[in-house]
Amino acid sequence: MALVDPLADLIAALQRLPGIGARSATRLAYHLLKTPREEVDSLCAALLSVKERVTYCSICSNITAVDPCAYCTAGDRDSRLICVVEQPENVAAIVKTRGFRGRYHVLMGAIAPLRGIGPDDLKLKGLIERVGAGGVEEVILATNPTVEGEATAHFLGERAAERKIQASRIAHGVPIGGELEYVDGGTLAHALAGRHSV
Amino acid sequence: MALVDPLADLIAALQRLPGIGARSATRLAYHLLKTPREEVDSLCAALLSVKERVTYCSICSNITAVDPCAYCTAGDRDSRLICVVEQPENVAAIVKTRGFRGRYHVLMGAIAPLRGIGPDDLKLKGLIERVGAGGVEEVILATNPTVEGEATAHFLGERAAERKIQASRIAHGVPIGGELEYVDGGTLAHALAGRHSV
């Protein structure tokens, strides 16, 4: 005698989501059981709307509901600067800082030879076209500070050098608000090497 | 310039769920964006199926897809024992212990005067009918070990005494595998008061 079938099915479906284990899935399922029908309907509508309405920008490959995306069409953004990131969520993170007023380019991945992902698997064509069209003065390589992200930044840096385009890499260092003793050795070494006079 | 609208809507909808904050909601939304359409469809189907197919047992008030529920119709469960709990998820928790072979009754809440919830707001009628029909020898009060749960157990214990039905309360004590120094004072006091000879 198991759980009520539809509930067990829902728990199984929720458990497939990242960061949701058996306990959270069970709690969510019982919560949804008591949630008014209209709220569950609106959650489903939001889920399906994401699949139906979200597409990719034909210029920068970022996610968007209108093509080209708002960042590519914004008149107040500097087209001479392109910030290259791995994923759409990275764009959202940089936008939130309010510290960058240029354009974006989303690679939709990073070079990862061990997983068989090479440069041809990334959304590079659009970037090459944009740089080729002229007017781009600097490409900021904001891929993740991981092995894959560094490899990708290195690859793009070399391609930029061939085309005589300035490329820069975001700084590695100690995070603001952190304590030195909790910062890993690699980061601390980078922070020391990247020191600047005050 | 905000996030892509459908994505922002989904993040907002996910954040309404218990235990899901802004970060988890964002992570889930971006994950769902990359999830194949069929998987999102099956998650929606599971959500709607819970709303459409799950109903309440007319005997014990537990959730079920067939009325009466499997626990009420099972031939191998002892009808002389009724375990009273607050919520359907409590039934699932007790079933998982495999330590109880009687029937269940779900109150769908607990007495909470501060929130205006009295005995009349609980699913008591079915319980009174079952006890009134005869054959019930013991009512096990397995409401939560909270103020509301204790008040509910106390109330039900008095009603059972009036009807000369034996009522029992689940034991309070130190949890198995716990360490005494981390057990709160109230629990430890209960564990001492409820000691038994070995």
Side-chain angles (χ1 to χ4, degrees), chain A:
Chain A
M1 190 147 27
L3 270 178
V4 183
D5 292 340
L7 199 69
D9 291 346
L10 178 58
I11 293 174
L14 290 170
Q15 259 187 276
R16 263 176 244 128
L17 300 174
I20 297 193
R23 255 167 206 269
S24 320
T26 306
R27 193 159 60 126
L28 283 173
Y30 277 107
H31 171 85
L32 288 161
L33 194 64
K34 288 171 207 152
T35 304
R37 170 74 197 231
E38 306 80 61
E39 257 184 66
V40 176
D41 282 343
S42 86
L43 175 61
C44 282
L47 280 164
L48 295 176
S49 169
V50 157
K51 296 315 285 182
E52 268 158 26
R53 290 180 47 210
V54 176
T55 172
Y56 297 93
C57 175
S58 54
I59 299 176
C60 73
S61 302
N62 191 15
I63 51 165
T64 180
V66 227
D67 182 26
C69 79
Y71 302 119
C72 285
T73 53
D76 59 346
R77 285 189 170 264
D78 190 345
S79 295
R80 291 169 298 181
L81 273 177
I82 296 185
C83 179
V84 181
V85 297
E86 292 180 26
Q87 299 290 351
E89 47 265 53
N90 305 145
V91 172
I94 293 173
V95 168
K96 239 163 80 178
T97 68
R98 295 168 183 268
F100 178 69
R101 299 299 306 164
R103 310 274 177 193
Y104 293 97
H105 190 85
V106 182
L107 297 172
M108 293 309 248
I111 298 174
L114 288 179
R115 285 187 288 134
I117 302 172
D120 294 342
D121 301 305
L122 306 181
K123 297 280 183 196
L124 278 176
K125 207 171 140 251
L127 181 61
I128 293 167
E129 278 168 16
R130 289 166 84 182
V131 170
V136 176
E137 292 178 4
E138 185 181 349
V139 174
I140 301 173
L141 304 170
T143 49
N144 287 332
T146 57
V147 174
E148 283 92 355
E150 296 295 349
T152 310
H154 183 77
F155 171 84
L156 292 175
E158 288 193 332
R159 295 298 87 77
E162 287 166 10
R163 287 173 171 76
K164 310 263 187 286
I165 301 280
Q166 198 197 324
S168 59
R169 178 84 176 111
I170 50 168
H172 293 321
V174 294
I176 303 291
E179 289 185 59
L180 279 199
E181 62 202 281
Y182 298 122
V183 173
D184 68 289
T187 303
L188 207 49
H190 271 292
L192 285 168
R195 69 191 180 278
H196 46 80
S197 53
V198 290

Side-chain angles (χ1 to χ4, degrees), chain B residues 132 180 191:
Chain B
L180 279 199

Side-chain angles (χ1 to χ4, degrees), chain B residues 1 40 54 90 92 101 109 117 128-129 144 147 152 159-160 163-165 185 187 189:
Chain B
M1 190 148 22
V40 176
V54 176
N90 304 144
R101 298 299 307 166
I117 302 172
I128 293 167
E129 277 169 17
N144 286 332
V147 175
T152 309
R159 293 299 87 76
R163 286 175 172 76
K164 310 261 184 291
I165 300 280
T187 302

Side-chain angles (χ1 to χ4, degrees), chain B residues 122-141:
Chain B
L122 305 182
K123 297 280 182 196
L124 278 175
K125 205 169 142 255
L127 181 61
I128 293 167
E129 277 169 17
R130 289 167 83 182
V131 171
V136 177
E137 291 178 4
E138 184 180 350
V139 173
I140 301 174
L141 304 169

Side-chain angles (χ1 to χ4, degrees), chain B residues 106-186:
Chain B
V106 182
L107 297 172
M108 291 311 249
I111 297 174
L114 289 178
R115 285 187 288 135
I117 302 172
D120 293 342
D121 300 305
L122 305 182
K123 297 280 182 196
L124 278 175
K125 205 169 142 255
L127 181 61
I128 293 167
E129 277 169 17
R130 289 167 83 182
V131 171
V136 177
E137 291 178 4
E138 184 180 350
V139 173
I140 301 174
L141 304 169
T143 50
N144 286 332
T146 57
V147 175
E148 283 92 356
E150 295 294 348
T152 309
H154 182 77
F155 172 85
L156 292 176
E158 288 193 333
R159 293 299 87 76
E162 287 167 10
R163 286 175 172 76
K164 310 261 184 291
I165 300 280
Q166 197 197 326
S168 60
R169 179 83 175 111
I170 50 167
H172 293 322
V174 293
I176 302 292
E179 288 186 59
L180 279 199
E181 62 203 281
Y182 298 122
V183 172
D184 69 289

